[in-house]
Amino acid sequence: MDNLLLKIDQYKTEISNFTASDGETAEAFRIKYLGTKGLVKELMGEMRNVAPENKKSFGQVMNEFKVFAEAKYEALKGAENSNGKAAADELDLSLPADPLPLGSRHPISLVRNRMVSIFQRLGFAVAEGPEIEDDWHNFTALNLPENHPARDMQDTFYISQNPDWLLRTHTSSVQVREMEKGKLPIRIICPGRVYRNETISARAHCFFHQVEGLYIAENVSFADLKQTLYFFVQEMFGKEVKIRFRPSYFPFTEPSAEMDISCLICGGPGCSVCKHTGWVEILGCGMVHPNLLDNCGIDSNKYTGFAFGMGVERITMLKYQIKDLRLFSENDVRFLKQFTSAV
Ligand code: PHE
């Protein structure tokens, strides 16, 4: 026992004289004194050789020794940290940082965000809805009942679990959902992904993105529609771009129109991009058909509205002269990298 006490005293002196010279010293100390094979553990093991009447006092000495070693370890660690801090103060913060491999927004997201912000400035709010829709919201409520021939242009994918479920073909379904809420006036844009059963080519894909718009209030006229879209085109493509409307057909609008913009490449005289017409089509639009209002419980004698819908891919292709739609979903970094500072 006396031997042991002597040893402990020696270790205490050793510990007191221990100084931290570098970052690894504290860890070396911990391993030597406090580790699983350290001196504190080893001395504790001596307990079984101590005479029973001395066990209690030896236990006390050992505890004290352990606390002493632990306190020293904490002190060493503290010293190491403050040394570390001193080193941080010497960092030259004016040096350029290591480059971080940052990604960039997808061109479709960039253009969608730009479109959304243009319409937001006109007071349109963003509305979103499910991509898996039911027949009512995607077709029937939009004046496209079963067996309507116009369904042919929007063939889609059906969910085998339930024949009533399908992947939405346009975000007009979100407009129906908003109209059903019955809160008027409505002034919304509906950005989102849509699906169609089409053969994939440079100009068509089985999924793409749309921004559709809807404005319903009292006395909304075709002139409001024209001015809204004119503002959009000027903000999106520039002040010199012209627009024109051609009569068209959509079951959900009456009258309906397609809107063209003057060709961004040749500016009018004709080139291969505009197929020598000077114009390129960008969207469909019209005055909301009264049947839609009635379907959604809105008084069609009191309210009128306009709606429009366009493909984000198409706008993006025109804006950046991209010739193939498939590039958007191929994940080729060489293509995507070109848009880091765009829009
Ligand atoms: N929903 C139509 C489409 O996807 C676009 C459209 C919207 C046309 C609103 C007219 C009015 O093709």
Side-chain angles (χ1 to χ4, degrees):
M1 165 89 171
D2 283 349
N3 242 349
L4 280 174
L5 293 180
L6 203 69
K7 255 196 196 170
I8 290 174
D9 262 350
Q10 279 170 3
Y11 289 145
K12 272 188 165 176
T13 325
E14 203 177 293
I15 289 174
S16 299
N17 295 334
F18 203 102
T19 50
S21 52
D22 58 59
E24 280 150 30
T25 318
E27 182 57 9
F29 178 90
R30 190 191 63 77
I31 293 170
K32 179 167 182 197
Y33 292 97
L34 298 164
T36 35
K37 290 182 183 151
L39 278 167
V40 170
K41 272 267 158 62
E42 193 185 308
L43 286 168
M44 288 282 197
E46 295 289 338
M47 185 66 109
R48 50 194 149 86
N49 305 327
V50 174
E53 65 275 18
N54 290 333
K55 275 195 197 298
K56 194 175 165 199
S57 61
F58 180 69
Q60 275 170 357
V61 172
M62 269 314 298
N63 261 342
E64 212 183 276
F65 176 57
K66 190 175 164 212
V67 170
F68 181 74
E70 282 170 351
K72 177 74 181 188
Y73 174 57
E74 289 306 317
L76 289 175
K77 265 203 310 191
E80 186 192 313
N81 285 345
S82 53
N83 282 347
K85 197 171 155 279
D89 287 342
E90 285 159 21
L91 272 183
D92 182 354
L93 295 175
S94 66
L95 285 174
D98 288 340
L100 278 178
L102 270 189
S104 60
R105 280 195 209 287
H106 193 280
I108 295 296
S109 302
L110 287 171
V111 171
R112 185 209 46 218
N113 292 350
R114 172 92 179 264
M115 292 164 81
V116 167
S117 85
I118 294 172
F119 285 110
Q120 276 177 334
R121 271 187 279 150
L122 289 175
F124 284 79
V126 171
E128 288 178 312
E131 288 181 22
I132 301 177
E133 259 302 358
D134 50 38
D135 185 283
W136 169 258
H137 290 98
N138 195 80
F139 290 128
T140 307
L142 288 161
N143 220 15
L144 263 159
E146 223 184 319
N147 301 323
H148 193 293
R151 279 202 185 196
D152 248 15
M153 290 188 301
Q154 300 198 4
D155 188 21
T156 184
F157 304 94
Y158 290 82
I159 314 282
S160 52
Q161 254 172 316
N162 185 336
D164 194 42
W165 291 347
L166 47 88
L167 297 186
R168 69 179 179 193
T169 58
H170 45 192
T171 57
S172 305
S173 54
V174 182
Q175 305 184 346
V176 174
R177 288 179 179 276
E178 284 300 310
M179 288 194 283
E180 282 175 342
K181 287 183 189 162
K183 269 218 264 145
L184 291 153
I186 297 172
R187 201 188 301 157
I188 51 163
I189 43 163
C190 312
R193 183 175 294 177
V194 300
Y195 302 82
R196 292 192 193 174
N197 186 7
E198 305 231 6
T199 310
I200 297 169
S201 71
R203 296 171 59 88
H205 212 303
C206 57
F207 72 89
F208 61 99
H209 300 79
Q210 280 191 327
V211 170
E212 293 215 349
L214 175 72
Y215 179 31
I216 300 178
E218 290 181 50
N219 302 318
V220 176
S221 73
F222 205 96
D224 297 320
L225 169 63
K226 278 176 112 171
Q227 191 54 43
T228 303
L229 293 177
Y230 191 43
F231 177 79
F232 166 73
V233 166
Q234 294 210 320
E235 291 296 302
M236 191 73 206
F237 295 109
K239 298 276 182 238
E240 67 290 349
V241 178
K242 295 194 274 294
I243 58 169
R244 78 170 182 187
F245 289 80
R246 280 177 292 105
S248 184
Y249 172 77
F250 297 104
F252 25 88
T253 45
E254 182 61 36
S256 305
E258 271 165 31
M259 195 183 86
D260 300 339
I261 58 171
S262 52
C263 181
L264 300 166
I265 307 297
C266 66
C271 66
S272 63
V273 170
C274 60
K275 298 199 197 86
H276 304 285
T277 62
W279 298 94
V280 271
E281 184 208 317
I282 64 160
L283 58 84
C285 60
M287 299 305 291
V288 178
H289 197 295
N291 286 0
L292 256 73
L293 301 174
D294 296 338
N295 281 343
C296 299
I298 296 172
D299 184 351
S300 57
N301 290 316
K302 188 170 171 201
Y303 292 100
T304 50
F306 67 67
F308 58 85
M310 56 191 133
V312 182
E313 275 79 352
R314 184 152 183 77
I315 305 287
T316 312
M317 288 168 88
L318 285 170
K319 191 152 176 70
Y320 298 116
Q321 276 130 53
I322 296 163
K323 299 248 156 50
D324 194 323
L325 187 77
R326 288 168 291 197
L327 284 165
F328 291 127
S329 48
E330 279 172 352
N331 261 348
D332 186 334
V333 182
R334 289 168 305 173
F335 170 71
L336 298 171
K337 256 199 333 212
Q338 299 174 58
F339 302 91
T340 32
S341 60
V343 177

